[in-house]
């Protein structure tokens, strides 16, 4: 299983999420104090009324002079309205400054990653001026700690929303309206992200693995991802590749270095190195991978990947091959 940290906006791992958490705590304490004050005054009012009735039934029935009560009440209510408006205004200013801090001046040297939302998975592409250096992967984002990252977000079908709570706030992916968001990870860790806008049957299972790692570890990962798929090193792996290339897998998937070049589904060039499969839903183990290949719709109803019939020998060979794609 993946060792992802608890998914929480209050456990920030980036400058942006730290600003959001800070604002959240200000709102929390201000509203908590107001709630406590209201509760106390309500309690006092109830107590006073309760006490009046049995002790002195006359007084409970005969009201105080109406005019005096009314003018006092008007003053108190007016004062409270002014205080409420001032508090809301102060919170609004805090909100404004937080927004400003999050959308700070873009860094031209930022690492650019294009993220495309699909029903129901994330396509992740590390941009590079040289087309041969572009890395395409799925449902797993690695970033170096301390470096600004620019996410170029887009959707090809319906509205999705990119959200890794420990890193930054939500950002909608609207078809036809590419957008960007920025963040700088401040500590290493593995976090979970997920789609935050209802996008159909498997919306709740449209997740991703987010890895913030030291710059060295990140560049090792990226250079491994840039390589084409490794050549099979055993007969079984070789047979597995034949099974892959002869089956309907090639209608949707790419494996760099082979003739499989379709882009309907996730790029599988380094599937063996990923922590999870099925858009962050299942651990990347041999058993889950086998189940996914044979009958993905049974695991995620509505998923675009069709069931696949194959012999046990073919399946084992295919698994050997896919697991070797590190
Ligand atoms: Cu994609 Cu919800």
């Amino acid at each position: 299983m993946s060792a992802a940290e608890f998914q929480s906006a209050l456990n920030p791992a980036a400058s942006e999420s730290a600003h959001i958490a800070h604002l959240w705590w200000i709102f929390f304490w201000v509203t908590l104090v107001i709630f406590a004050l209201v509760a106390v005054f309500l309690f006092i009012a109830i107590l006073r009324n309760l006490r009046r009735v049995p002790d002195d039934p006359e007084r409970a029935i005969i009201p105080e002079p109406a005019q005096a009560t009314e003018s006092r009440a008007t003053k108190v209510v007016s004062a409270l309205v002014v205080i409420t408006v001032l508090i809301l205004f102060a919170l609004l200013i805090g909100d404004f400054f937080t927004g400003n801090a999050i959308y700070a001046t873009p860094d031209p040297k930022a690492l650019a990653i294009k993220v495309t939302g699909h029903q129901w998975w994330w396509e992740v592409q590390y941009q590079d001026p040289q087309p041969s250096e572009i890395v395409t992967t799925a449902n797993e984002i690695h970033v170096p700690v301390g470096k600004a990252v620019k996410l170029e977000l887009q959707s090809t079908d319906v509205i999705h929303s990119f959200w890794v709570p420990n890193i930054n706030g939500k950002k909608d992916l609207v078809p036809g309206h590419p957008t960007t968001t920025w963040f700088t990870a401040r500590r290493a860790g593995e976090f979970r992200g997920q789609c935050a806008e209802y996008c159909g049957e498997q919306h709740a299972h449209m997740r991703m693995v987010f890895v913030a790692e030291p710059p060295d570890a990140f560049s090792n990962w990226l250079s491994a991802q840039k390589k084409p798929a490794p050549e099979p090193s055993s007969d079984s792996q070789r047979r597995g590749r034949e099974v892959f290339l002869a089956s309907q897998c090639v209608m949707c998937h790419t494996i760099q270095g082979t003739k499989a070049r379709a882009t309907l589904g996730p790029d599988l060039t380094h599937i063996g190195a990923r922590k999870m499969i099925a858009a962050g839903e299942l651990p990347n183990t041999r058993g889950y991978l086998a189940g996914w290949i044979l009958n993905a719709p049974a695991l995620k109803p509505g998923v675009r990947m069709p069931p696949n019939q194959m012999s046990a020998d073919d399946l084992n060979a295919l698994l050997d091959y896919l697991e070797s794609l590190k």
Side-chain angles (χ1 to χ4, degrees):
M1 275 303 273
S2 92
E5 277 184 51
F6 185 61
Q7 178 177 324
S8 169
L10 301 181
N11 176 20
S15 313
E16 289 69 19
S17 50
H19 284 298
I20 294 172
H22 186 66
L23 182 69
W24 193 91
W25 282 113
I26 292 175
F27 271 65
F28 175 79
W29 287 116
V30 169
T31 49
L32 183 74
V33 167
I34 292 169
F35 174 76
L37 285 175
V38 170
V40 165
F41 282 113
L42 185 68
F43 194 64
I44 290 172
I46 292 171
L47 270 189
R48 273 167 66 175
N49 266 331
L50 278 182
R51 232 181 265 154
R52 250 180 228 173
V53 181
D55 292 356
D56 187 358
E58 294 268 302
R59 251 193 87 200
I61 296 159
I62 303 164
E64 287 176 50
Q67 262 185 335
T69 321
E70 250 169 53
S71 88
R72 204 180 66 190
T74 311
K75 271 184 203 154
V76 171
V77 169
S78 310
L80 287 177
V81 166
V82 171
I83 291 170
T84 305
V85 169
L86 287 179
I87 290 173
L88 285 176
F89 192 69
L91 291 178
L92 184 73
I93 290 174
D95 189 67
F96 175 78
F97 278 110
T98 303
N100 250 9
I102 290 174
Y103 301 108
T105 329
D107 182 343
K109 284 182 296 184
L111 172 71
I113 307 173
K114 189 157 102 184
V115 176
T116 308
H118 297 276
Q119 281 175 314
W120 292 275
W121 59 284
W122 304 94
E123 184 180 342
V124 180
Q125 205 173 59
Y126 289 76
Q127 303 299 81
D128 198 288
Q130 264 185 293
S132 63
E133 298 286 287
I134 291 174
V135 164
T136 306
T137 180
N139 307 316
E140 191 168 313
I141 299 179
H142 288 239
V143 300
V145 171
K147 187 171 167 67
V149 175
K150 175 193 185 190
L151 288 188
E152 297 165 1
L153 302 168
Q154 60 172 36
S155 167
T156 53
D157 38 42
V158 298
I159 302 177
H160 303 276
S161 182
F162 183 93
W163 193 31
V164 184
N166 303 67
I167 296 296
N168 203 350
K170 299 169 185 174
K171 191 82 179 182
D172 279 4
L173 285 69
V174 182
H177 294 272
T179 184
T180 52
T181 188
W182 303 80
F183 61 83
T184 306
R186 290 297 172 200
R187 64 179 171 87
E190 192 184 314
F191 309 98
R192 265 173 43 130
Q194 69 181 74
C195 184
E197 174 69 43
Y198 181 74
C199 56
E201 210 173 346
Q202 290 297 333
H203 155 68
H205 302 145
M206 185 171 167
R207 300 186 186 144
M208 78 197 89
V209 176
F210 187 97
V211 183
E213 53 197 356
D216 286 355
F218 172 75
S219 33
N220 288 345
W221 175 84
L222 193 64
S223 46
Q225 293 283 319
K226 277 179 186 170
K227 294 185 184 128
E231 279 296 302
S233 61
S234 72
D235 285 346
S236 180
Q237 290 175 11
R238 247 182 298 279
R239 178 170 168 194
R241 183 166 70 177
E242 278 162 29
V243 170
F244 186 91
L245 294 174
S247 71
Q248 58 178 347
C249 307
V250 292
M251 317 259 291
C252 300
H253 296 287
T254 290
I255 293 182
Q256 299 283 350
T258 73
K259 66 180 170 61
R261 292 240 157 243
T263 54
L264 226 55
D267 187 303
L268 301 180
T269 308
H270 296 286
I271 175 79
R274 285 186 212 146
K275 295 165 196 293
M276 307 286 277
I277 58 167
E281 187 61 15
L282 303 168
N284 189 5
T285 63
R286 193 176 175 92
Y288 280 120
L289 194 54
W292 185 252
I293 292 168
L294 289 178
N295 197 348
L299 293 163
K300 282 176 89 167
V303 73
R304 303 286 191 261
M305 173 141 158
N308 291 284
Q309 303 240 313
M310 61 180 73
S311 71
D313 286 348
D314 280 354
L315 178 64
N316 267 314
L318 180 58
L319 290 168
D320 281 342
Y321 176 58
L322 291 177
E323 285 183 331
S324 77
L325 300 179
K326 299 278 187 190

